[in-house]
Amino acid sequence: MHPQTPLPASSLRRALSCVLLLFLLSLPLPLKSQTTAPTIPFTMQIQWDVFKRHFIDSGRVIDTVNQNITHSEGQGYGMLLATYFQDPAAFESIWNWTQKNLQVRESDRLFAWSWGIPSSETETKAEPKVLDPNNASDGDILIAWALYRASRMWGNPAWTEAAHAIIKDLRQHMIVVGFDGRLILLPGQVGFVEKNSVITNPSYWVFPALQEFASQPVDSEVWQRLINDGIKWLNDWQFGKFNLPPDWVEIGKPITLPERYEPVFGYNAIRIPLYLQWAGLQNQTPALNQALRASWTQFTEANLPSKIHLKTHEGHDPALPGIRAIYELSLNTGRERDPDQWIVDPADGYYSAALLLLVRIVHQQSLVP
């Protein structure tokens, strides 16, 4: 017998690698966890870092183009974004600041909607404070939704309990029955119920958040009914030659545009198609989809405004990038095929930056369940 010639070291490594590969391929594949976090594109992560650096200070989300005030809505967006970007440190910081400075109403667990230095005192060394103790229901809804998501992601039952308390008070104070039996979401506890009508803000129906509330064990039927009635209302709220929903609407007999607010499809109402798409409900409002396309065609991409007057039909204010991105996403203009063109620019302000990040999240369709 002749002795075997030993294999070169490189050949031996390749042989062992093949054996290991065959062994691994023979193993059963693990079941995909329902709590698996989404893979976040690197370009999105960079933009979240930009958002934090320019708009969040010690847990306070700052509206840099509006006297540096803070809204409950902004805190809700910040908390929600932190859950998507798997950033528990940012989430806790924003939530802790929100609890300490905005959850100060004595009668409920809802949030004062505005905090900062009064405009009359901006030139002095005045201390910032709550500017209006009234709540804004969209901010309350966003915060509660973010708490539910964070509790699932990071296993903190205290956040679930905090969310339960918020939606309990929303249910008690913020939902009323309209003249035809449909539910109406009040924008705030004070100032929106008239003698024969109710004023509401259509963009405060944050549909994906309401879906979350409808999945909870308490009052689930009420939240589902609010979703269903919100869709019905949206199909009725058509104004101007484009048949667009307004920022504010007065529900009475008849349904009108309230005199106290500018009659526009603008900075508020632009969020409606975003929330519908996020919730997978965009096909239930075909008139709105047609209205968006009609206005996009009328003004053209280059001249798209941030708001459209619903009586004169004129456009005002060049569209913020965040507003333009919602159009592009909702209408499948083709630009959404390259989501990296939705870039956060600090010069455009907090609101546009938040909308851009939300558009990218909806585009990804990969929120943690």
Side-chain angles (χ1 to χ4, degrees):
M1 296 180 63
H2 299 282
Q4 292 182 332
T5 302
L7 288 171
S10 59
S11 298
L12 182 59
R13 285 195 296 269
R14 285 197 296 271
L16 290 174
S17 297
C18 291
V19 171
L20 178 60
L21 178 60
L22 290 171
F23 171 73
L24 292 174
L25 290 174
S26 70
L27 295 175
L29 291 174
L31 293 175
K32 183 179 180 181
S33 170
Q34 291 186 344
T35 58
T36 300
T39 300
I40 301 171
F42 179 67
T43 53
M44 287 183 67
Q45 184 65 58
I46 290 175
Q47 292 186 64
W48 169 236
D49 292 339
V50 170
F51 186 94
K52 287 193 296 181
R53 186 164 61 252
H54 288 274
F55 303 118
I56 303 179
D57 181 14
S58 301
R60 181 168 83 93
V61 181
I62 303 170
D63 190 342
T64 53
V65 296
N66 190 13
Q67 298 181 338
N68 288 333
I69 67 174
T70 287
H71 318 272
S72 58
E73 161 213 279
Q75 296 302 109
Y77 282 145
M79 291 167 63
L80 190 63
L81 290 169
T83 65
Y84 177 81
F85 287 101
Q86 303 158 39
D87 194 336
F91 179 89
E92 289 196 67
S93 176
I94 299 169
W95 170 230
N96 290 339
W97 189 95
T98 304
Q99 280 186 295
K100 178 180 178 181
N101 294 280
L102 300 185
Q103 202 173 34
V104 295
R105 292 158 55 96
E106 295 182 358
S107 60
D108 54 48
R109 303 307 294 161
L110 305 179
F111 301 86
W113 80 273
S114 179
W115 187 95
I117 297 176
S119 57
S120 60
E121 303 177 23
T122 54
E123 301 302 322
T124 70
K125 295 183 178 180
E127 290 294 320
K129 60 184 179 181
V130 168
L131 301 176
D132 187 345
N134 202 11
N135 70 304
S137 55
D138 68 330
D140 303 325
I141 288 169
L142 289 165
I143 292 169
W145 183 25
L147 284 165
Y148 279 130
R149 287 174 48 79
S151 182
R152 281 198 307 276
M153 290 184 68
W154 299 311
N156 189 334
W159 293 338
T160 298
E161 293 305 311
H164 283 342
I166 295 167
I167 69 169
K168 177 183 176 182
D169 285 333
L170 280 166
R171 165 71 181 87
Q172 181 176 351
H173 301 299
M174 294 293 107
I175 299 176
V176 297
V177 180
F179 64 86
D180 62 352
R182 296 185 200 170
L183 297 185
I184 303 171
L185 178 66
L186 293 179
Q189 189 172 6
V190 178
F192 298 98
V193 178
E194 307 291 335
K195 183 178 180 180
N196 297 307
S197 63
V198 174
I199 294 174
T200 191
N201 187 312
S203 73
Y204 282 23
W205 264 265
V206 186
F207 286 104
L210 300 180
Q211 289 174 331
E212 173 82 61
F213 299 170
S215 72
Q216 300 302 318
V218 180
D219 291 330
S220 58
E221 299 86 355
V222 173
W223 296 110
Q224 187 58 54
R225 181 180 167 193
L226 186 65
I227 293 170
N228 297 340
D229 288 350
I231 296 295
K232 293 175 184 176
W233 285 123
L234 282 175
N235 285 315
D236 288 343
W237 294 334
Q238 301 175 30
F239 293 87
K241 73 175 184 179
F242 300 117
N243 293 319
L244 288 163
D247 280 4
W248 297 90
V249 63
E250 187 164 357
I251 303 173
K253 292 186 177 180
I255 296 175
T256 61
L257 297 170
E259 293 183 359
R260 72 167 95 159
Y261 295 106
E262 187 180 18
V264 296
F265 171 82
Y267 295 93
N268 284 270
I270 189 59
R271 296 177 295 183
I272 298 170
L274 177 67
Y275 293 154
L276 286 168
Q277 186 149 344
W278 202 336
L281 298 173
Q282 65 273 22
N283 292 334
Q284 296 191 29
T285 56
L288 173 57
N289 301 336
Q290 295 172 7
L292 287 172
R293 188 162 297 280
S295 58
W296 173 271
T297 302
Q298 172 73 29
F299 290 102
T300 73
E301 180 180 348
N303 300 309
L304 190 69
S306 277
K307 57 184 181 180
I308 299 171
H309 200 283
L310 297 176
K311 293 184 177 179
T312 67
H313 312 128
E314 296 175 344
H316 299 274
D317 304 342
L320 293 172
I323 290 177
R324 183 181 300 276
I326 293 176
Y327 270 95
E328 292 166 350
L329 178 73
S330 301
L331 299 178
N332 297 315
T333 63
R335 288 174 61 83
E336 77 284 350
R337 295 170 194 161
D338 178 20
D340 285 343
Q341 49 90 24
W342 294 322
I343 299 174
V344 169
D345 184 345
D348 295 323
Y350 133 80
Y351 187 59
S352 181
L355 292 182
L356 280 170
L357 287 173
L358 294 175
V359 165
R360 291 211 61 175
I361 289 173
V362 176
H363 181 263
Q364 288 293 111
Q365 293 293 300
S366 57
L367 285 173
V368 177

